[in-house]
Amino acid sequence: MKALIKDNPTKGANFTDLTLPKIGENDLLVRVQAAAICGTDIHIYQWNEYAASRIKLPLLFGHEYAAEVVEVGRSVTNFKKGDRVAAETHVPCGHCYQCATGLQHICKDMKILGVHMDGAFAEYAVLPAVCAWKLDPSISYEIGATMEPFGIGVHAMSKTKPAGKKVIVFGCGPIGIYAQMVAKLSGAEYVIGVDVTKERLDLARKMGTDIVLNAKEVNVAEEVSKITKGFGTDIVVELTGNKAVLNDATKTLRRGGDIVLVGLFSGPVEWDLVNNVIYKEANVYGVTGRIMWDTWWTAQSMLLSGKMDVSPVITHRFNLQDYDKAFPLAESASTGKIVFKI
Ligand SMILES: [Zn+2]
Ligand SMILES: [Zn+2]
């Protein structure tokens, strides 16, 4: 099968032929239909410290995808050939405290598809049945491939009660825009999106964000103070993983507000806890992945409601062999989702 693999500890990837993988008794063999590029894939492509410290080569990468089931492991009873599925990236052990208490997505022995085990930038992939989500017939493979990042936006907003609230989201990449759309759908008074590229701010506005701020052009804290008439925001969602942004972001939060941290910072962060959290009595939430399967049910219901159309968040489509055009574009951090049609 055709596959995009990482087999060298240098920048780039290798489009090559692999033999069809064999599945275990609890797995599905799936024919991949659409796979999206995630920030993690960019790290792997670039082979930066994040990737070098986690990944054993060779690796078939890619983990945000939707596919058709073509073979079912002999212990799998809830899927059959022909089922359309989307992949949950977090592979839980099924036995630990977290797995036993509804927190499989933060399993103590969790593996990540396309990071710790082979992923899906290929014609076929092995998907543990425990990570397969049956797609509603009305959801396309392409949208199915983006349900994983969409779910992060859904999960992030689910920590708060956005109805009637002033919401600010730092970062207008796909997850940031999804979070903004969910806040709007949930009845926020208004949603502010912050980014540094015009393309992403334009996309946020197109998708319904009320106010967009370019952090390169304005002082965000001052601007938010003007917009909120000195009140501050009720809910801050941080998706940039940029250390400098964090202190600015929390400056905009009113006392007693919620701050949801999703973006991954490289290394420890200096944060003025006394002024930003303790004196403010801010509620701080860490969010990773999606609750299995609560977030997926909510995400699917939002898509089926007809009240939000996430398809324009996909801004570029490529064939897998054109990966050397797709990845540099992804590195520019100025696009929406980039999807490979496979
Ligand atoms: Zn991802
Ligand atoms: Zn576990």
Side-chain angles (χ1 to χ4, degrees):
M1 64 174 184
K2 296 283 179 217
L4 185 65
I5 64 166
K6 185 81 187 178
D7 54 357
N8 260 314
T10 51
K11 187 168 178 171
N14 184 9
F15 185 66
T16 185
D17 275 305
L18 294 182
T19 53
L20 209 61
K22 288 205 174 25
I23 58 168
E25 60 177 318
N26 296 308
D27 297 329
L28 306 171
L29 182 69
V30 298
R31 172 72 179 86
V32 180
Q33 304 288 335
I37 297 181
C38 165
T40 304
D41 302 318
I42 299 173
H43 293 312
I44 295 171
Y45 179 81
Q46 293 176 331
W47 201 250
N48 57 16
E49 202 188 307
Y50 174 94
S53 66
R54 280 173 178 75
I55 285 160
K56 278 204 221 115
L57 300 177
L59 175 77
L60 167 56
F61 64 131
H63 58 268
E64 297 178 358
Y65 70 101
E68 183 189 343
V69 176
V70 294
E71 192 189 329
V72 178
R74 64 184 160 83
S75 299
V76 178
T77 54
N78 52 339
F79 289 93
K80 60 181 189 313
K81 225 176 127 175
D83 279 347
R84 299 164 72 254
V85 295
E88 163 57 57
T89 307
H90 291 201
V91 186
C93 77
H95 318 294
C96 72
Y97 174 84
Q98 283 74 19
C99 283
T101 56
L103 297 170
Q104 292 97 317
H105 70 296
I106 46 171
C107 164
K108 191 164 144 307
D109 297 313
M110 183 177 70
K111 302 260 186 303
I112 307 266
L113 282 181
V115 174
H116 305 115
M117 51 207 282
D118 274 346
F121 285 155
E123 288 177 287
Y124 293 87
V126 177
L127 178 62
V130 69
C131 292
W133 170 261
K134 231 173 259 183
L135 274 181
D136 185 273
S138 68
I139 295 177
S140 69
Y141 281 121
E142 199 176 81
I143 296 298
T146 63
M147 280 185 75
E148 195 258 30
F150 177 58
I152 299 176
V154 172
H155 186 192
M157 291 317 305
S158 76
K159 296 289 186 190
T160 71
K161 295 194 180 91
K165 296 288 190 271
K166 308 174 207 316
V167 178
I168 187 165
V169 179
F170 287 81
C172 295
I175 297 172
I177 290 178
Y178 293 138
Q180 291 162 41
M181 293 178 78
V182 172
K184 284 285 286 186
L185 184 71
S186 308
E189 179 191 352
Y190 51 75
V191 178
I192 306 170
V194 184
D195 204 285
V196 291
T197 74
K198 185 180 178 305
E199 292 88 343
R200 284 189 162 173
L201 290 167
D202 287 348
L203 183 60
R205 206 197 305 267
K206 178 176 166 191
M207 300 311 294
T209 296
D210 300 286
I211 301 158
V212 297
L213 298 176
N214 189 329
K216 270 192 181 155
E217 290 168 4
V218 298
N219 179 317
V220 174
E222 281 173 14
E223 215 49 43
V224 170
S225 179
K226 268 187 242 162
I227 294 163
T228 64
K229 302 185 179 69
F231 185 86
T233 55
D234 301 291
I235 298 167
V236 170
V237 181
E238 205 309 300
L239 278 153
T240 69
N242 181 319
K243 293 179 189 179
V245 171
L246 182 62
N247 282 292
D248 272 1
T250 36
K251 261 186 226 156
T252 71
L253 186 69
R254 71 156 164 83
R255 292 182 168 228
D258 296 335
I259 176 158
V260 186
L261 302 176
V262 192
L264 300 179
F265 300 90
S266 59
V269 176
E270 213 169 283
W271 195 20
D272 182 353
L273 283 176
V274 173
N275 288 305
N276 283 330
V277 177
I278 300 168
Y279 282 162
K280 270 192 177 172
E281 288 209 354
N283 306 301
V284 181
Y285 301 95
V287 162
T288 185
R290 300 136 300 276
I291 296 168
M292 295 163 70
W293 291 90
D294 182 60
T295 304
W296 286 81
W297 282 106
T298 306
Q300 174 169 282
S301 294
M302 285 179 172
L303 296 177
L304 296 182
S305 73
K307 292 174 185 152
M308 71 176 3
D309 176 13
V310 294
S311 53
V313 180
I314 300 172
T315 53
H316 297 79
R317 293 163 181 83
F318 287 93
N319 293 319
L320 194 54
Q321 60 264 38
D322 295 326
Y323 71 92
D324 52 352
K325 293 190 187 78
F327 272 96
L329 191 62
E331 285 182 290
S332 73
S334 62
T335 69
K337 261 294 164 204
I338 299 175
V339 172
F340 289 118
K341 307 281 254 179
I342 300 173

